[in-house]
Amino acid sequence: MTSPAPTPEIIGILGGMGPAATADFYAKLVSTTPGSSDQDHLRTVIWSDPTIPDRTEALLGDGPDPTPWLLDGSRVLREAGATVIAIPCNTAHAFVPRIADHVGLPIVHMIDEVARHLTTLRPRIHTAGLLATTGTVRAGLYEEWLDRAGIRLVLPDVTSQDHEVMTAVRAVKAGVRDGVTTLLLSRAARRLTEQGAQAVIAGCTEIPLGLPAGAVDVPLVDPALVLARALVHRATAGRAGKAAMYCTQYVTRPSRLPPPPQ
């Protein structure tokens, strides 16, 4: 049996934010690609740069702007032959508007894809909860996308955000994935469902590494998995000779980011 012709798409993964989340994302890209042989899988270039400054610290004004690192990584991917870029880091999407016009490649927008995915769930989702870094929360990254989809967003209170969500995220980044991490995240998720969340978005790519879907009593949406499926759909649609459907849009409300460096 002859394998299908290789897709002309070459996925560029702008990673390192953090390294474990990048490895997890690539595993999800592989697992969601249909095929029975090596040759059925997608050509992929991975740039994993853990020296990119912390995105949350930058958004809170406590650290350097990661934009130059994101631009450099995007250029590395382009020069390596990538035809499309995926960024498996929710918080880094706050900086996408700064790099999009300079990259020269389309960026498949993970948060846009999550909003689209939520509209496909049944029963219909009217309210979603978000577990994410404080930077993602403060930047309002999910609010406009879900507003457009007619979905209300609920967030952890300050105590839960600081002592449950961020404590767990830091633990996963440090290589700790234990029962305590799961307990912290599951408690934070339960607080969201008590506010009416019908689904919980694991809006930091470290969170699915510490929070199994079975620990939440509503659907747990993994943005990295949603992004992987969107990339596979785009690439296989191109292989079939169809128009590849994707959309790269950016937040239109007034920016909450600090001004870019001059």
Side-chain angles (χ1 to χ4, degrees):
M1 181 176 177
T2 303
S3 296
T7 171
E9 197 81 277
I10 300 177
I11 310 298
I13 299 175
L14 182 55
M17 302 171 283
T22 301
D24 179 64
F25 174 71
Y26 182 60
K28 287 168 179 169
L29 185 66
V30 171
S31 68
T32 56
T33 301
S36 57
S37 68
D38 294 346
Q39 291 73 30
D40 294 333
H41 285 267
L42 304 177
R43 294 182 292 174
T44 307
V45 179
I46 301 173
W47 176 251
S48 183
D49 181 6
T51 71
I52 298 172
D54 187 274
R55 284 63 59 198
T56 288
E57 289 183 2
L59 289 168
L60 299 180
D62 296 329
D65 183 353
T67 300
W69 283 260
L70 297 172
L71 272 174
D72 285 346
S74 299
R75 290 167 181 152
V76 169
L77 293 172
R78 185 184 65 210
E79 291 169 6
T83 58
V84 63
I85 288 179
I87 307 174
C89 172
N90 290 265
T91 316
H93 279 70
F95 303 91
V96 165
R98 293 185 181 175
I99 70 173
D101 292 339
H102 306 285
V103 170
L105 296 174
I107 299 170
V108 177
H109 199 289
M110 181 161 62
I111 298 172
D112 180 15
E113 295 296 340
V114 169
R116 293 167 183 263
H117 171 72
L118 284 169
T119 66
T120 69
L121 298 182
R122 296 293 179 270
R124 183 181 172 189
I125 302 298
H126 298 279
T127 302
L130 177 65
L131 298 177
T133 66
T134 303
T136 295
V137 171
R138 293 276 184 90
L141 289 180
Y142 273 92
E143 288 172 309
E144 181 168 348
W145 299 102
L146 296 191
D147 282 348
R148 294 176 183 179
I151 298 171
R152 183 173 72 98
L153 186 67
V154 293
L155 302 168
D157 61 29
V158 173
T159 300
S160 177
Q161 180 66 31
D162 291 344
H163 297 291
E164 293 174 336
V165 181
M166 288 304 298
T167 297
V169 167
R170 293 187 187 102
V172 173
K173 284 183 177 292
V176 178
R177 305 180 202 176
D178 56 13
V180 174
T181 302
T182 299
L183 179 62
L184 290 171
L185 290 171
S186 61
R187 282 179 178 171
R190 186 171 63 251
R191 297 182 202 282
L192 296 177
T193 61
E194 289 170 354
Q195 294 183 61
Q198 301 161 280
V200 172
I201 302 165
C204 170
T205 41
E206 272 77 26
I207 288 175
L209 301 178
L211 181 64
V216 184
D217 58 7
V218 297
L220 181 67
V221 177
D222 179 353
L225 182 58
V226 171
L227 177 60
R229 289 171 175 163
L231 290 163
V232 170
H233 173 74
R234 172 187 162 93
T236 54
R239 177 185 282 163
K242 302 173 185 177
M245 298 301 294
Y246 69 97
C247 187
T248 303
Q249 302 179 52
Y250 308 109
V251 173
T252 55
R253 66 177 59 182
S255 175
R256 301 185 192 182
L257 277 66
Q262 300 300 317

